[in-house]
Amino acid sequence: MPVTFTFGEMLSARSVIGSTLAELGADYDNLWVLTPDIGATLVEFRDTYPERFLDVGLAEQACVGIAAGLAYDGNIPVVSGMLPFLSMRALEQIRTDVCYPNLPVKIIGTHGGLVGNGGSTHYAVEDLALMCALTNMTVTSIGDPLMVGEVIRQSMTMQGPIYIRLAVGKKDMVLYEPGQHEVRIGKGIVAREGTDATIFTHGTTVAQALQAAEEIAQDGRSVRVVDMFTLKPIDEDLILRCAEETDGRFVVLEDHLAYGGLASRIADVLTDRGVSLKAFERLGIPQVYAGFGEDEQLRDKHGYGLKDTIAATRRVLAAS
């Protein structure tokens, strides 16, 4: 019998990637998997389909360039690596070789945000701003490890490129019961219903937002939590619905620079549609190099930890 996981249990998103790609390798004989020396969890695919697996070594630019060439030849290439380097070192190749011709290259990676205690060179904190700026790129940030497999499966039939952001991917909390929510690229998930305010979030901070909403429920206030796991294309209808249904009070929480990520994209939607809010707070990484530390320590240090999330939500609830 297959092993199943339920809410609150811990699961490796990397293992989900590996097993999903191995499964899809049987369905798509043109699926290739490439890695810049970050392939420990891809062993199942490598061993089963060695002729469609390529480890290029520590050369992200070459990895993306080869993936583009494979896509031109009618294949579906998946690049799996560390996002600080895929998003920065290979940015020109992603823009020019992949996005310009709108090729179906899937870029999946770990270390999105202040995770892994690797220091500022090993944190992907600008990546979502960069990827959202690229024409034709679909951008996702996944918090629940079980969602990763579904997003990868859906991406197989996409015409253009997709960026899939994860945390470290070794020990991630399962956020949703299987089948609890529909996972569809381009649509947000209402992770918790509420009527007094909305916390928008994605990736590693979804669990923190849910904790904050539970804490504030003790005040007798009802806070909605939206897992906006697709940043581009963003779910405009859900943003506008939340503005109407939760009294125009928004908090945006993300493990990314506070400007350029989800908060900026939501602000753009509201401005373009002429929607005014009663209160709007953005919580994320300020314009600093974050330094070393565990992820929760760094969130607290830089003002977007659990206590900060609770305080910001209480502020928007108190706004007149």
Side-chain angles (χ1 to χ4, degrees), residues 19-42:
S19 61
T20 301
L21 290 175
E23 167 197 324
L24 290 170
D27 299 329
Y28 296 90
D29 59 9
N30 60 342
L31 174 62
W32 281 70
V33 176
L34 304 88
T35 182
D37 199 34
I38 311 291
T41 57
L42 305 172

Side-chain angles (χ1 to χ4, degrees), residues 9-282:
E9 294 187 43
M10 307 305 288
L11 175 63
S12 165
R14 296 190 198 183
S15 67
V16 175
I17 293 171
S19 61
T20 301
L21 290 175
E23 167 197 324
L24 290 170
D27 299 329
Y28 296 90
D29 59 9
N30 60 342
L31 174 62
W32 281 70
V33 176
L34 304 88
T35 182
D37 199 34
I38 311 291
T41 57
L42 305 172
V43 172
E44 189 176 353
F45 186 95
R46 181 198 68 190
D47 291 348
T48 308
Y49 311 104
E51 73 284 359
R52 289 188 271 142
F53 178 84
L54 185 60
D55 187 338
V56 305
L58 292 176
E60 285 80 9
Q61 299 99 320
C63 198
V64 172
I66 293 168
L70 287 166
Y72 268 118
D73 204 30
N75 297 294
I76 304 173
V78 173
V79 176
S80 178
M82 288 181 65
L83 296 181
F85 313 118
L86 281 173
S87 66
M88 301 291 281
R89 288 181 188 163
L91 180 60
E92 183 178 358
Q93 285 73 24
I94 293 172
R95 182 198 65 176
T96 306
D97 297 344
V98 173
C99 290
Y100 182 45
N102 199 27
L103 297 174
V105 176
K106 328 300 176 187
I107 298 170
I108 306 173
T110 60
H111 294 78
L114 300 184
V115 298
N117 200 8
S120 293
T121 60
H122 284 56
Y123 299 142
V125 299
E126 311 93 346
D127 60 317
L128 296 175
L130 295 171
M131 292 299 138
C132 285
L134 298 178
T135 301
N136 292 325
M137 179 64 82
T138 295
V139 181
T140 65
S141 175
I142 313 298
D144 187 320
L146 291 176
M147 287 174 58
V148 179
E150 180 57 30
V151 170
I152 293 172
R153 289 185 190 92
Q154 289 183 26
S155 77
M156 289 296 107
T157 56
M158 288 177 56
Q159 295 302 307
I162 186 171
Y163 182 82
I164 301 174
R165 184 196 216 230
L166 306 171
V168 177
K170 289 184 177 179
K171 194 176 181 182
D172 309 288
M173 181 181 292
V174 176
L175 301 173
Y176 312 119
E177 297 283 358
Q180 181 182 4
H181 300 288
E182 180 185 9
V183 176
R184 185 149 55 103
I185 295 171
K187 295 296 180 182
I189 292 172
V190 179
R192 180 187 176 105
E193 288 289 357
T195 57
D196 297 332
T198 300
I199 302 175
F200 289 93
T201 186
H202 59 84
T204 57
T205 50
V206 176
Q208 180 176 303
L210 289 168
Q211 284 182 273
E214 181 64 27
E215 179 73 22
I216 292 168
Q218 308 308 311
D219 302 342
R221 306 304 298 270
S222 172
V223 176
R224 180 176 297 179
V225 176
V226 171
D227 179 354
M228 195 64 83
F229 75 93
T230 306
L231 282 80
K232 181 187 175 188
I234 200 162
D235 192 343
E236 294 190 13
D237 291 341
L238 180 55
I239 293 169
L240 298 174
R241 181 159 61 86
C242 290
E244 180 179 353
E245 294 177 351
T246 62
D247 201 26
R249 303 174 191 273
F250 283 4
V251 174
V252 186
L253 168 68
E254 55 189 322
D255 198 8
H256 183 272
L257 292 177
Y259 289 83
L262 178 61
S264 295
R265 293 191 63 76
I266 289 175
D268 285 347
V269 170
L270 296 170
T271 302
D272 290 346
R273 295 296 191 95
V275 175
S276 298
L277 299 179
K278 290 182 179 178
F280 180 95
E281 292 221 15
R282 64 177 82 210

